[in-house]
Amino acid sequence: MPPPADIVKVAIEWPGAYPKLMEIDQKKPLSAIIKEVCDGWSLANHEYFALQHADSSNFYITEKNRNEIKNGTILRLTTSPAQNAQQLHERIQSSSMDAKLEALKDLASLSRDVTFAQEFINLDGISLLTQMVESGTERYQKLQKIMKPCFGDMLSFTLTAFVELMDHGIVSWDTFSVAFIKKIASFVNKSAIDVSILQRSLAILESMVLNSHDLYQKVAQEITIGQLIPHLQGTDQEIQTYTIAVINALFLKAPDERRQVGVDSSVDILECPLTEMANILAQKQLRSIILTHVIRAQRAINNEMAHQLYVLQVLTFNLLEDRMMTKMDPQDQAQRDIIFELRRIAFDAESEPNNSSGSMEKRKSMYTRDYKKLGFINHVNPAMDFTQTPPGMLALDNMLYFAKHHQDAYIRIVLENSSREDKHECPFGRSSIELTKMLCEILKVGELPSETCNDFHPMFFTHDRSFEEFFCICIQLLNKTWKEMRATSEDFNKVMQVVKEQVMRALTTKPSSLDQFKSKLQNLSYTEILKIRQSERMNQEDFQSRPILELKEKIQPEILELIKQQRLNRLVEGTCFRKLNCRRRQDKFWYCRLSPNHKVLHYGDLEESPQGEVPHDSLQDKLPVADIKAVVTGKDCPHMKEKGALKQNKEVLELAFSILYDSNCQLNFIAPDKHEYCIWTDGLNALLGKDMMSDLTRNDLDTLLSMEIKLRLLDLENIQIPDAPPPIPKEPSNYDFVYDCN
């Protein structure tokens, strides 16, 4: 007979004594269980004791999390969180440097536990740590020369404890003084500082900026790009990651008018003149340093760095949003002059005197003719073409950039199409406007960066005006594709669809430079796109006859079983999941994998991202598959209801799923990417005997069915398969030809 569900068998340790095997009744109050344990070892004052996990996490057992205790869990009897917090609060103020260092080391470790953190914060522990940071450096300055390693470790542990305590969200970031901010900023601004101190200082500055508008202004006054650049030029990728994260945070929280600020690298962020055209995110020095020392460094880019580069890329393109959403004012002479400049460059009209002797009517007629040649929809007043948003004035900016920086290509395209008489001319103006709109959609200009995406494109870091250069390549591609399609104005939308497919296919290869992107497009001519489409279409059309459909129906179950086994095998291998935090993005991981017999899910926290599989015995927590009640996704997940359906959480929402078990317990996941999300939701549904409904399953089923059908039809090559089975012949008049083997 199985034991009651409320009884959990555990082992409990106590220093200097043999571990005890106990049965814990989850219906009993936790204090009563602790008293029972203390009585077993003859320990008085049970209220001064608590239970905690004996694994590397050392988290305390509370009434809230006691349901996480599973059969076979190893616990440890230890001092209560309140007692521990009180003792550490006193120890870190010790006059002995060694005692102080040891206490800070313990504090940095214990602060990860929210139960301990709450008790330490109640003792005004955060204020004590900030005072130590503000005054500690001066107090021990004289000791630095003789005790530099000890001093560095002490400060490192202090900052680590501070970061961990603040990460629980118990204390508001708005409570910190300018002196504390200046001190943290000074660690970042020092040329020679311990790596661990620098890393935690950068993490604190990032959190300050992201969590408080007032602190953003104070941090921005203390930190300049010139002071951050040396950290990007180093070889430590983790420091580079945190440095870019600080830059991203400053610009993510900057007021809109500040985001267009251009700076010299030595100028304070808040003091930059708004009239400067260059942008801090795209300035040559910063971009080239990131390209040289990060993207093209002789080492692999880890996921966190890829995410920060993706965020930087998104924020850079989002600076175009203002121009993208700005309509052209037909009465604005400065804006109209840009259109005049496009006409002048194309038709070399600069020799015309301003006071032309021709009549006004003749000049208007000439302008109308030229604007028609330029491909504008409104020939009389082309300014009206730029009143739609998006792309607004951004389209005109791109056209002017193309005309000035790629003048030969611009003139060739305009004159080549304006001289055609066969209705196959490509309208440059209309094409540029629609292309700009399409590129903004592809790059998601104006959207906030995702919390999980790491899809950055190295080629956009190779040029100060990468979007404009991207446009210049694509407008030439559009003109080339237009000629290859022998398109007319009626085919405009078809051409745009082909160009979008060409651009998207080239981007998926992640070209390392704009030149490489251009060469990828050369290989994706209209003819090649037709071949790809034809191949995809044939794969679909070839298998629509009735006999093939019947064969598909027959072999589909075994294909689904094959997919199911693959999903379960992937769950057995396991996956490393990131713990996302709305206050600070940092490397905290946990791992989950299915047992080889498919009966238990093993999971547990990790200190760092693993290289390869994590063995079962290192994962302390278990969840029997038989206990799983349901698997929910997206908005139905408990951890998504807590976060709220914010715009910046849209991508996270699409990667979230939860396992519901027991009465009110759940295991919450956020998959690293869409592929892993499909693998896990399919595998869990397969374990529960439900259908696998993901997009990945549909694609795999289509691919494997297609391959299996082709293999089975190899012997029937060049033989026409009839749509209907052949007729059954009439019965013979006699059966004399039958031979009886018996």
Side-chain angles (χ1 to χ4, degrees):
M1 183 176 177
D6 295 320
I7 302 298
V8 183
K9 295 181 179 181
V10 300
I12 300 180
E13 299 175 344
W14 172 250
Y18 288 108
K20 283 188 175 184
L21 296 177
M22 283 190 65
E23 290 187 353
I24 292 179
D25 187 351
Q26 293 284 37
K27 291 181 179 179
K28 280 186 179 181
L30 189 59
S31 57
I33 296 171
I34 293 172
K35 184 178 186 305
E36 184 182 340
V37 175
C38 290
D39 291 344
W41 274 308
S42 302
L43 299 173
N45 302 320
H46 71 275
E47 62 273 11
Y48 293 153
F49 292 90
L51 292 172
Q52 66 179 182
H53 288 281
D55 58 15
S56 59
S57 69
N58 293 327
F59 286 166
Y60 281 100
I61 304 298
T62 65
E63 291 290 355
K64 288 184 178 179
N65 65 20
R66 62 183 295 178
N67 288 329
E68 295 177 9
I69 303 174
K70 305 298 178 188
N71 284 317
T73 300
I74 301 176
L75 303 179
R76 181 188 299 119
L77 185 66
T78 185
T79 52
S80 69
Q83 284 289 107
N84 227 341
Q86 183 65 49
Q87 292 170 8
L88 279 174
H89 193 272
E90 295 169 1
R91 287 170 57 201
I92 62 176
Q93 299 179 73
S94 170
S95 57
S96 167
M97 291 286 283
D98 290 337
K100 194 185 195 79
L101 179 62
E102 196 63 32
L104 287 168
K105 183 178 180 180
D106 292 342
L107 179 63
S109 174
L110 286 168
S111 295
R112 292 179 299 164
D113 185 277
V114 65
T115 310
F116 170 84
Q118 183 67 70
E119 296 292 344
F120 189 78
I121 289 169
N122 289 343
L123 296 172
D124 209 15
I126 293 285
S127 297
L128 178 60
L129 291 179
T130 55
Q131 289 169 15
M132 290 172 64
V133 171
E134 290 174 22
S135 61
T137 48
E138 284 79 8
R139 185 181 302 174
Y140 297 109
Q141 245 177 357
K142 295 179 181 179
L143 299 173
Q144 268 189 282
K145 292 182 180 179
I146 57 174
M147 301 187 70
K148 190 171 183 180
C150 177
F151 173 78
D153 290 342
M154 190 179 298
L155 183 56
S156 175
F157 288 134
T158 304
L159 294 178
T160 301
F162 176 84
V163 169
E164 295 292 350
L165 291 168
M166 290 303 299
D167 193 37
H168 296 297
I170 300 170
V171 179
S172 170
W173 284 91
D174 290 312
T175 58
F176 299 108
S177 65
V178 174
F180 179 71
I181 298 169
K182 285 180 178 290
K183 185 61 65 176
I184 297 297
S186 71
F187 300 145
V188 174
N189 295 336
K190 282 183 180 178
S191 56
I193 191 77
D194 186 80
V195 171
S196 60
I197 296 173
L198 177 59
Q199 177 189 318
R200 285 152 183 78
S201 298
L202 288 167
I204 291 170
L205 292 177
E206 181 196 2
S207 295
M208 284 179 173
V209 172
L210 292 176
N211 289 283
S212 169
H213 177 68
D214 291 339
L215 289 186
Y216 154 75
Q217 295 180 327
K218 294 171 184 175
V219 170
Q221 289 170 349
E222 299 297 327
I223 298 294
T224 66
I225 293 299
Q227 292 159 336
L228 292 174
I229 279 177
H231 303 314
L232 292 173
Q233 293 173 316
T235 57
D236 191 315
Q237 189 171 116
E238 195 166 4
I239 294 299
Q240 292 175 325
T241 302
Y242 275 99
T243 302
I244 297 177
V246 172
I247 295 172
N248 288 339
L250 286 167
F251 279 88
L252 191 62
K253 293 299 179 181
D256 289 341
E257 66 272 13
R258 301 251 182 249
R259 297 187 191 178
Q260 295 293 346
V261 169
V263 301
D264 180 85
S265 62
S266 61
V267 179
D268 191 284
I269 288 174
L270 288 182
E271 295 175 352
C272 303
L274 297 177
T275 54
E276 291 286 338
M277 294 299 293
N279 182 272
I280 192 170
L281 294 179
Q283 64 167 308
K284 184 176 182 180
Q285 191 179 18
L286 178 61
R287 177 198 57 76
S288 60
I289 286 171
I290 290 175
L291 179 67
T292 304
H293 295 277
V294 178
I295 297 175
R296 291 182 177 172
Q298 298 300 313
R299 62 174 180 269
I301 293 178
N302 61 35
N303 288 337
E304 180 62 18
M305 174 60 85
H307 171 77
Q308 294 300 342
L309 290 173
Y310 153 78
V311 173
L312 183 58
Q313 173 185 292
V314 171
L315 294 177
T316 303
F317 287 139
N318 281 357
L319 295 170
L320 304 168
E321 184 182 12
D322 182 55
R323 295 294 283 174
M324 181 182 76
M325 300 307 294
T326 300
K327 295 181 180 180
M328 184 172 184
D329 181 3
Q331 307 305 318
D332 189 320
Q333 188 58 43
Q335 295 179 0
R336 291 170 63 87
D337 285 345
I338 298 176
I339 299 177
F340 290 146
E341 181 69 4
L342 290 173
R343 175 187 168 277
R344 183 196 67 76
I345 295 173
F347 302 112
D348 197 24
E350 62 183 345
S351 60
E352 284 188 21
N354 291 331
N355 54 348
S356 176
S357 57
S359 67
M360 184 63 71
E361 290 299 322
K362 285 185 178 180
R363 292 181 63 193
K364 282 186 177 180
S365 175
M366 180 179 65
Y367 287 162
T368 300
R369 185 192 67 228
D370 289 347
Y371 291 146
K372 183 178 181 181
K373 290 179 179 179
L374 279 170
F376 290 112
I377 297 174
N378 192 318
H379 307 152
V380 178
N381 186 7
M384 299 303 295
D385 287 13
F386 300 96
T387 55
Q388 178 189 357
T389 58
M393 287 295 292
L394 184 60
L396 188 57
D397 295 342
N398 284 340
M399 293 168 71
L400 183 63
Y401 181 91
F402 182 51
K404 285 189 171 182
H405 293 83
H406 300 269
Q407 194 167 358
D408 291 343
Y410 167 70
I411 293 173
R412 186 184 72 250
I413 288 175
V414 172
L415 296 183
E416 187 179 86
N417 288 286
S418 63
S419 60
R420 297 182 72 120
E421 299 293 340
D422 54 2
K423 296 184 179 181
H424 289 289
E425 67 278 0
C426 176
F428 173 74
R430 182 185 176 191
S431 298
S432 298
I433 293 169
E434 289 301 319
L435 179 64
T436 301
K437 182 179 178 181
M438 185 186 79
L439 297 182
C440 288
E441 290 173 356
I442 291 174
L443 298 177
K444 300 181 179 179
V445 174
E447 293 187 19
L448 288 172
S450 160
E451 293 180 2
T452 57
C453 184
N454 53 16
D455 185 26
F456 80 98
H457 293 276
M459 73 176 192
F460 291 128
F461 290 86
T462 61
H463 201 284
D464 294 327
R465 305 288 293 274
S466 59
F467 184 80
E468 289 87 344
E469 288 293 325
F470 185 44
F471 167 84
C472 293
I473 293 171
C474 293
I475 192 65
Q476 294 177 74
L477 168 72
L478 192 153
N479 186 66
K480 172 174 170 284
T481 302
W482 185 284
K483 289 190 291 185
E484 290 173 348
M485 294 177 67
R486 292 192 55 80
T488 62
S489 57
E490 288 80 10
D491 302 316
F492 187 86
N493 291 333
K494 292 180 182 178
V495 176
M496 294 304 297
Q497 289 173 5
V498 173
V499 170
K500 184 173 184 177
E501 186 174 346
Q502 290 170 314
V503 172
M504 293 293 287
R505 288 184 183 275
L507 284 177
T508 55
T509 64
K510 292 292 182 71
S512 59
S513 66
L514 290 165
D515 287 338
Q516 197 176 89
F517 174 69
K518 193 186 299 184
S519 66
K520 296 284 184 185
L521 291 176
Q522 291 292 333
N523 297 327
L524 285 170
S525 63
Y526 176 57
T527 304
E528 185 63 27
I529 293 294
L530 282 181
K531 288 180 181 177
I532 294 171
R533 287 181 173 181
Q534 182 68 16
S535 175
E536 292 173 351
R537 194 180 302 116
M538 284 179 64
N539 286 338
Q540 294 175 352
E541 292 176 354
D542 285 351
F543 305 119
Q544 298 306 312
S545 62
R546 183 180 167 188
I548 300 298
L549 292 175
E550 289 178 356
L551 180 59
K552 272 187 176 182
E553 191 176 336
K554 182 179 179 181
I555 64 177
Q556 182 167 314
E558 61 183 86
I559 298 294
L560 283 171
E561 182 62 27
L562 181 66
I563 295 172
K564 175 183 173 181
Q565 290 305 317
Q566 187 271 339
R567 299 294 191 264
L568 294 177
N569 289 341
R570 279 288 291 106
L571 264 61
V572 170
E573 292 175 15
T575 300
C576 179
F577 296 93
R578 183 188 297 276
K579 286 188 174 182
L580 280 184
N581 193 299
C582 60
R583 291 171 295 281
R584 192 176 87 251
R585 184 183 174 91
Q586 57 181 332
D587 286 320
K588 287 192 174 182
F589 303 95
W590 69 287
Y591 200 88
C592 187
R593 62 180 299 182
L594 181 66
S595 62
N597 62 5
H598 300 172
K599 291 185 177 181
V600 179
L601 282 172
H602 298 263
Y603 62 96
D605 292 340
L606 300 176
E607 293 297 325
E608 57 184 4
S609 182
Q611 303 297 321
E613 293 184 17
V614 176
H616 292 95
D617 52 10
S618 65
L619 302 173
Q620 300 295 326
D621 299 305
K622 299 177 183 179
L623 173 60
V625 172
D627 291 350
I628 298 176
K629 306 298 182 187
V631 176
V632 294
T633 60
K635 293 181 180 179
D636 296 328
C637 297
H639 57 315
M640 289 297 102
K641 292 176 182 176
E642 293 169 7
K643 289 174 73 68
L646 301 175
K647 181 181 178 182
Q648 59 264 42
N649 291 328
K650 179 182 176 183
E651 289 82 359
V652 177
L653 204 64
E654 294 174 352
L655 299 175
F657 62 98
S658 297
I659 295 174
L660 307 182
Y661 62 98
D662 291 345
S663 53
N664 293 312
C665 299
Q666 67 268 339
L667 196 58
N668 297 321
F669 298 76
I670 295 178
D673 51 50
K674 192 67 177 177
H675 180 269
E676 211 66 29
Y677 168 85
C678 293
I679 291 287
W680 274 85
T681 52
D682 283 344
L684 292 171
N685 281 324
L687 286 173
L688 298 178
K690 298 181 179 179
D691 292 336
M692 299 179 292
M693 304 297 292
S694 73
D695 293 338
L696 183 63
T697 292
R698 285 194 291 272
N699 293 337
D700 287 350
L701 181 61
D702 289 342
T703 303
L704 293 173
L705 268 177
S706 174
M707 291 172 62
E708 184 66 22
I709 293 290
K710 287 179 179 178
L711 287 171
R712 296 197 181 196
L713 296 180
L714 278 177
D715 294 335
L716 298 178
E717 192 171 356
N718 299 323
I719 297 176
Q720 185 67 33
I721 301 174
D723 292 333
I728 299 174
K730 293 180 180 180
E731 288 191 22
S733 57
N734 61 69
Y735 292 89
D736 294 342
F737 57 86
V738 177
Y739 178 76
D740 189 356
C741 296
N742 296 325

